[in-house]
Amino acid sequence: MGAISSILVKPACADCNLACRYCFYECTAAMYPETKRHRMNDEVLESMVSQYLALAGPRASFGWQGGEPTLMGLGFFRKAVELQCKHGTPGQVIGNGFQTNGVLIDAEWARFLAENRFLIGLSLDGPGAIHDYYRTDRGGHGSHARVLEGLAHLKAAGAEVNVLCMVTDVSVHCGGELFDYFVGLGLPWMQFIPCIEANAAGDGLQPFSLDLDFYGGFLCELFDRWYANGRPQTYIREFEELLIAVATGQAASCVHSAQCGDYVVVEHNGDVYACDFHITPEWYLGNLMETPLEEILRSPRLQEFAEAKSHLDGRCRSCPWVRICYGGCPKYRVDSHGSRAPRTCFCPAIEQVLARNYERLLSLAQRATRGRPPATPQRSSAPIGEVVERNAPCPCGSGRKYKRCCMVADG
């Protein structure tokens, strides 16, 4: 492959200060039993930053996740920004996304993230009763109040914050309630992540998994709120990506692309994997401290992983929505029993949303592209040392405002 749009970095592996009951990543720590505490050191950090920026071209995007990345401490991320400045090429656009549970965010953290224009993805599942049902600490105590404290610091510092909301068996009936709650908190930038996990034995789904029979209704309820009679005032990533696909014929993320492979994952010790949903020996690509990242990206295994998504069955290929959906994320190609399936388990929900709302999406797309050729937004952010204001034209050339284009795509 040789090129990627971004890298997803797990500097603390699966280490976390919470014990969310639906966490799929916690088991990753078992792959690194040599220590209970996993932290990326400065040598791995600099090697990763320098190698990636040398390959990234005019735009580079780092996504910092976990576990919980704040466990690395502020010093680590100050160092990361210094290294980006050191190894970035003149004019290179470098963006940073930062996914956090918010519990450790204080005023100092918030100032740093805001001043360096990190786009924050804050894990918040809704009002207290919904959020605290699964997102607890290791003592079984809910984290909602502490997350809101972290959010207050971020807002006071002027940081850009997106909501990352897991949709579970508890919240799949609450689409409108979740939307109203987030807007009421001053968080109009939202991503709703469907929670589906198979049992380890492969004989069913985990009890926290959302009820697939209700997911289509959940999305339609959200769509009506987002659409706002044809004048969207909020951002819901799922619908914005559908809108981009309708307007441009191009996928805005790997979920709806014909192939996977938009990014790779770098673990705390420099191990590189094809996807954060597949941190397994099967999809280990190499270690960037031993094998140059450029060589890893040319790995036949990565190409094999990327192409596997395009293997669709006859039902998918004859579906009128295949050019928008492309079979969905391979992680979710399971059935209601947790067994592997040829298409996403969300297929009925996606069909329901598109059949019901395609004309509305088309109307928005035509209005957005009227008078100019449709453009494909690219991932972007401000170059270090240069600020792109929220309401300014997006640097990618789409013609949309930055806040409704690449600023959110970088998250």
Side-chain angles (χ1 to χ4, degrees), residues 267-280:
E267 265 290 350
H268 66 289
N269 66 343
D271 284 350
V272 181
Y273 293 88
C275 174
D276 63 323
F277 289 145
H278 296 84
I279 307 297
T280 63

Side-chain angles (χ1 to χ4, degrees), residues 142-382:
S143 59
H144 184 261
R146 285 172 283 174
V147 176
L148 292 189
E149 290 176 5
L151 173 60
H153 288 301
L154 291 168
K155 289 172 71 67
E160 298 287 353
V161 182
N162 289 5
V163 170
L164 304 178
C165 175
M166 291 294 290
V167 185
T168 66
D169 62 316
V170 173
S171 57
V172 73
H173 307 285
C174 308
E177 179 183 353
L178 294 176
F179 180 94
D180 293 343
Y181 178 71
F182 295 140
V183 170
L185 287 177
L187 297 172
W189 307 81
M190 309 170 219
Q191 180 180 352
F192 294 89
I193 306 165
C195 188
I196 290 284
E197 292 291 335
N199 290 327
D203 57 355
L205 298 176
Q206 294 278 13
F208 48 71
S209 299
L210 61 82
D211 190 326
L212 292 167
D213 291 336
F214 295 101
Y215 188 48
F218 172 89
L219 290 177
C220 286
E221 186 176 2
L222 279 179
F223 189 98
D224 289 343
R225 293 287 215 283
W226 168 79
Y227 183 70
N229 294 317
R231 299 290 176 182
Q233 300 298 309
T234 58
Y235 175 95
I236 295 181
R237 180 170 179 172
E238 293 71 22
F239 305 141
E240 297 279 345
E241 290 188 352
L242 292 179
L243 179 59
I244 289 171
V246 171
T248 70
Q250 302 292 323
S253 73
C254 58
V255 174
H256 300 304
S257 295
Q259 292 190 345
C260 297
D262 281 357
Y263 69 95
V264 292
V265 180
V266 181
E267 265 290 350
H268 66 289
N269 66 343
D271 284 350
V272 181
Y273 293 88
C275 174
D276 63 323
F277 289 145
H278 296 84
I279 307 297
T280 63
E282 179 184 8
W283 296 113
Y284 170 75
L285 303 176
N287 186 291
L288 57 76
M289 302 298 289
E290 302 167 356
T291 305
L293 182 59
E294 184 176 16
E295 182 177 333
I296 290 174
L297 297 180
R298 293 198 302 264
S299 164
R301 290 294 289 156
L302 183 56
Q303 185 65 41
E304 179 184 348
F305 180 83
E307 292 177 352
K309 186 179 190 294
S310 63
H311 299 160
L312 304 177
D313 68 353
R315 185 173 182 273
C316 270
R317 293 190 180 280
S318 62
C319 175
W321 312 117
V322 66
R323 295 297 178 185
I324 296 177
C325 171
Y326 276 107
C329 178
K331 171 183 169 61
Y332 300 119
R333 290 183 181 179
V334 296
D335 59 25
S336 59
H337 303 292
S339 302
R340 297 307 302 170
R343 70 189 70 89
T344 175
C345 60
F346 306 130
C347 181
I350 294 171
E351 288 183 322
Q352 182 178 347
V353 170
L354 288 172
R356 177 179 182 268
N357 299 299
Y358 181 76
E359 292 300 323
R360 294 201 280 182
L361 286 168
L362 186 60
S363 175
L364 291 176
Q366 291 171 338
R367 186 190 311 154
T369 59
R370 187 173 296 133
R372 67 177 188 277
T376 303
Q378 303 175 46
R379 297 178 67 87
S380 179
S381 183

Side-chain angles (χ1 to χ4, degrees), residues 29-63:
M31 296 178 58
Y32 299 99
E34 62 277 3
T35 178
K36 290 185 177 180
R37 186 178 184 273
H38 306 89
R39 300 291 186 270
M40 180 176 284
N41 63 38
D42 287 351
E43 183 182 7
V44 174
L45 174 63
E46 181 157 17
S47 180
M48 175 193 66
V49 169
S50 63
Q51 289 191 62
Y52 170 57
L53 290 181
L55 299 173
R59 290 181 171 85
S61 179
F62 293 82

